[in-house]
Short mmCIF file of all heavy atoms in Angstrom, two decimals:
data_model
loop_
_atom_site.label_atom_id
_atom_site.label_comp_id
_atom_site.label_asym_id
_atom_site.label_seq_id
_atom_site.Cartn_x
_atom_site.Cartn_y
_atom_site.Cartn_z
N ILE A 8 219.05 -63.24 94.32
CA ILE A 8 218.85 -64.20 95.48
C ILE A 8 218.72 -65.56 95.04
O ILE A 8 218.88 -66.46 95.82
CB ILE A 8 217.59 -63.85 96.26
CG1 ILE A 8 216.39 -63.77 95.49
CG2 ILE A 8 217.89 -62.46 96.96
CD1 ILE A 8 215.06 -63.57 96.15
N ALA A 15 220.51 -79.74 85.14
CA ALA A 15 220.14 -80.82 84.10
C ALA A 15 219.52 -81.90 85.07
O ALA A 15 219.80 -82.13 86.24
CB ALA A 15 221.35 -81.37 83.57
N VAL A 21 215.79 -89.81 78.70
CA VAL A 21 215.10 -88.53 78.51
C VAL A 21 215.81 -87.42 79.20
O VAL A 21 216.02 -87.41 80.49
CB VAL A 21 213.70 -88.67 78.84
CG1 VAL A 21 212.97 -87.30 78.67
CG2 VAL A 21 212.95 -89.77 78.20
N PRO A 42 206.34 -75.10 76.12
CA PRO A 42 205.30 -75.90 75.80
C PRO A 42 205.14 -77.09 76.84
O PRO A 42 206.17 -77.33 77.65
CB PRO A 42 205.58 -76.45 74.44
CG PRO A 42 207.09 -76.31 74.23
CD PRO A 42 207.56 -75.15 75.06
N LYS A 47 209.39 -77.62 82.65
CA LYS A 47 209.12 -76.61 83.61
C LYS A 47 208.86 -77.09 85.04
O LYS A 47 209.52 -76.62 86.09
CB LYS A 47 207.91 -75.68 83.25
CG LYS A 47 207.98 -74.98 81.89
CD LYS A 47 206.82 -74.15 81.41
CE LYS A 47 205.57 -75.02 81.36
NZ LYS A 47 205.56 -76.02 80.32
N SER A 48 207.91 -77.97 85.23
CA SER A 48 207.66 -78.68 86.50
C SER A 48 208.82 -79.49 87.00
O SER A 48 209.18 -79.48 88.24
CB SER A 48 206.57 -79.64 86.44
OG SER A 48 205.41 -78.97 86.09
N CYS A 50 211.97 -78.66 86.49
CA CYS A 50 212.91 -77.55 87.02
C CYS A 50 212.39 -77.10 88.42
O CYS A 50 213.26 -76.94 89.29
CB CYS A 50 212.77 -76.36 85.92
SG CYS A 50 213.94 -75.01 86.50
N PHE A 51 211.15 -76.89 88.53
CA PHE A 51 210.66 -76.48 89.97
C PHE A 51 210.95 -77.67 91.03
O PHE A 51 211.29 -77.36 92.09
CB PHE A 51 209.14 -76.16 89.87
CG PHE A 51 208.82 -74.84 89.40
CD1 PHE A 51 209.74 -73.98 88.88
CD2 PHE A 51 207.51 -74.24 89.68
CE1 PHE A 51 209.38 -72.61 88.44
CE2 PHE A 51 207.22 -73.02 89.20
CZ PHE A 51 208.11 -72.20 88.65
N LEU A 54 214.43 -77.39 91.91
CA LEU A 54 214.66 -76.13 92.89
C LEU A 54 214.08 -76.40 94.31
O LEU A 54 214.72 -75.95 95.20
CB LEU A 54 214.03 -74.88 92.21
CG LEU A 54 214.44 -74.52 90.88
CD1 LEU A 54 213.62 -73.29 90.38
CD2 LEU A 54 215.97 -74.22 90.93
N GLN A 70 224.15 -69.77 99.30
CA GLN A 70 224.42 -71.12 99.68
C GLN A 70 223.81 -72.15 98.68
O GLN A 70 222.71 -71.87 98.12
CB GLN A 70 224.09 -71.52 101.05
CG GLN A 70 222.49 -71.47 101.32
CD GLN A 70 222.25 -71.83 102.82
OE1 GLN A 70 222.50 -72.84 103.28
NE2 GLN A 70 221.57 -70.86 103.48
N LEU A 72 221.78 -75.23 97.44
CA LEU A 72 220.55 -75.93 97.92
C LEU A 72 220.72 -77.42 97.68
O LEU A 72 219.86 -78.18 98.23
CB LEU A 72 219.22 -75.42 97.28
CG LEU A 72 218.81 -74.03 97.66
CD1 LEU A 72 217.45 -73.64 96.96
CD2 LEU A 72 218.60 -73.93 99.20
N LYS A 75 219.92 -80.51 100.14
CA LYS A 75 219.01 -80.16 101.12
C LYS A 75 217.60 -80.73 100.86
O LYS A 75 217.03 -80.50 99.70
CB LYS A 75 218.97 -78.68 101.29
CG LYS A 75 220.21 -78.05 101.73
CD LYS A 75 220.08 -76.58 101.96
CE LYS A 75 221.43 -75.86 102.35
NZ LYS A 75 222.39 -76.49 103.15
N ALA A 78 211.93 -79.91 103.11
CA ALA A 78 211.68 -79.32 104.43
C ALA A 78 212.73 -78.32 104.78
O ALA A 78 212.34 -77.10 105.23
CB ALA A 78 211.38 -80.26 105.49
N ARG A 82 212.36 -74.13 105.15
CA ARG A 82 212.81 -73.39 106.29
C ARG A 82 213.66 -72.10 105.87
O ARG A 82 213.72 -71.13 106.40
CB ARG A 82 213.49 -74.20 107.26
CG ARG A 82 212.65 -74.97 108.17
CD ARG A 82 213.38 -75.75 109.30
NE ARG A 82 214.39 -76.62 108.85
CZ ARG A 82 214.13 -77.94 108.52
NH1 ARG A 82 212.83 -78.40 108.65
NH2 ARG A 82 215.00 -78.75 108.17
N PHE A 89 201.90 -76.72 93.06
CA PHE A 89 201.97 -77.85 92.03
C PHE A 89 200.88 -77.59 90.90
O PHE A 89 200.11 -76.82 91.11
CB PHE A 89 201.72 -79.26 92.61
CG PHE A 89 202.88 -79.58 93.64
CD1 PHE A 89 202.75 -79.09 94.88
CD2 PHE A 89 203.90 -80.29 93.28
CE1 PHE A 89 203.65 -79.50 95.94
CE2 PHE A 89 204.87 -80.71 94.15
CZ PHE A 89 204.77 -80.29 95.50
N GLN A 93 197.58 -79.56 95.57
CA GLN A 93 197.91 -80.56 96.52
C GLN A 93 197.33 -80.07 97.90
O GLN A 93 197.96 -79.33 98.58
CB GLN A 93 199.41 -80.82 96.68
CG GLN A 93 200.01 -81.23 95.32
CD GLN A 93 199.58 -82.62 94.93
OE1 GLN A 93 199.73 -83.54 95.73
NE2 GLN A 93 199.11 -82.71 93.70
N LEU A 106 197.54 -76.75 109.37
CA LEU A 106 198.53 -77.98 109.28
C LEU A 106 199.93 -77.65 108.95
O LEU A 106 200.83 -78.28 109.35
CB LEU A 106 197.92 -78.99 108.54
CG LEU A 106 198.51 -80.38 108.47
CD1 LEU A 106 198.36 -81.02 109.86
CD2 LEU A 106 197.80 -81.30 107.50
N HIS A 122 193.04 -75.20 117.10
CA HIS A 122 193.69 -74.35 118.09
C HIS A 122 195.04 -73.91 117.55
O HIS A 122 195.76 -73.11 118.32
CB HIS A 122 193.73 -75.03 119.35
CG HIS A 122 192.42 -75.19 119.94
ND1 HIS A 122 192.17 -76.17 120.92
CD2 HIS A 122 191.16 -74.77 119.67
CE1 HIS A 122 190.78 -76.35 121.19
NE2 HIS A 122 190.27 -75.48 120.48
N PRO A 125 195.14 -69.89 115.18
CA PRO A 125 193.96 -69.54 114.35
C PRO A 125 193.94 -68.14 113.76
O PRO A 125 193.36 -67.89 112.63
CB PRO A 125 192.81 -69.74 115.29
CG PRO A 125 193.44 -69.57 116.76
CD PRO A 125 194.85 -70.17 116.56
N GLU A 133 192.14 -64.86 104.36
CA GLU A 133 191.67 -63.57 103.86
C GLU A 133 192.58 -63.16 102.67
O GLU A 133 192.03 -62.68 101.71
CB GLU A 133 191.77 -62.51 105.04
CG GLU A 133 190.73 -62.71 106.08
CD GLU A 133 190.85 -61.72 107.12
OE1 GLU A 133 191.43 -60.63 106.99
OE2 GLU A 133 190.40 -62.02 108.31
N LEU A 137 189.60 -66.43 100.75
CA LEU A 137 188.89 -67.66 101.08
C LEU A 137 188.21 -67.50 102.56
O LEU A 137 187.80 -68.57 103.04
CB LEU A 137 189.92 -68.90 101.16
CG LEU A 137 190.38 -69.27 99.77
CD1 LEU A 137 191.56 -70.30 99.93
CD2 LEU A 137 189.28 -69.92 98.91
N ALA A 139 185.33 -66.59 103.43
CA ALA A 139 183.97 -67.08 103.50
C ALA A 139 183.92 -68.55 103.42
O ALA A 139 182.94 -69.25 103.88
CB ALA A 139 183.18 -66.62 102.23
N HIS A 142 185.61 -72.44 106.85
CA HIS A 142 185.24 -73.78 107.58
C HIS A 142 184.57 -74.71 106.52
O HIS A 142 183.96 -75.64 107.07
CB HIS A 142 184.35 -73.34 108.69
CG HIS A 142 184.97 -72.43 109.69
ND1 HIS A 142 185.89 -72.88 110.58
CD2 HIS A 142 184.81 -71.12 109.89
CE1 HIS A 142 186.29 -71.90 111.29
NE2 HIS A 142 185.63 -70.74 110.96
N THR A 143 184.86 -74.48 105.31
CA THR A 143 184.29 -75.46 104.32
C THR A 143 185.30 -76.65 104.08
O THR A 143 186.46 -76.38 104.16
CB THR A 143 183.98 -74.75 103.02
OG1 THR A 143 183.23 -73.68 103.17
CG2 THR A 143 183.58 -75.69 101.90
N LEU A 179 205.39 -70.96 91.73
CA LEU A 179 203.95 -71.30 91.39
C LEU A 179 204.07 -72.05 90.07
O LEU A 179 204.31 -71.50 89.01
CB LEU A 179 203.32 -69.98 91.20
CG LEU A 179 203.38 -69.04 92.47
CD1 LEU A 179 202.58 -67.77 92.01
CD2 LEU A 179 202.77 -69.70 93.70
N GLU A 181 202.26 -73.49 87.23
CA GLU A 181 200.96 -73.28 86.56
C GLU A 181 199.78 -72.87 87.52
O GLU A 181 198.82 -73.55 87.58
CB GLU A 181 200.52 -74.46 85.70
CG GLU A 181 201.57 -74.82 84.65
CD GLU A 181 201.13 -75.77 83.62
OE1 GLU A 181 199.93 -75.82 83.39
OE2 GLU A 181 202.05 -76.46 83.01
N ALA A 196 195.70 -61.34 91.48
CA ALA A 196 195.54 -60.41 92.56
C ALA A 196 196.10 -60.95 93.94
O ALA A 196 196.68 -60.21 94.73
CB ALA A 196 194.19 -59.90 92.56
#
Side-chain angles (χ1 to χ4, degrees):
I8 57 173
V21 177
K47 301 178 300 292
S48 294
C50 184
F51 276 16
L54 298 177
Q70 63 180 300
L72 290 182
K75 296 184 185 329
R82 281 191 295 276
F89 296 85
Q93 303 291 307
L106 189 61
H122 297 159
E133 290 175 25
L137 291 169
H142 299 288
T143 302
L179 305 176
E181 297 195 27

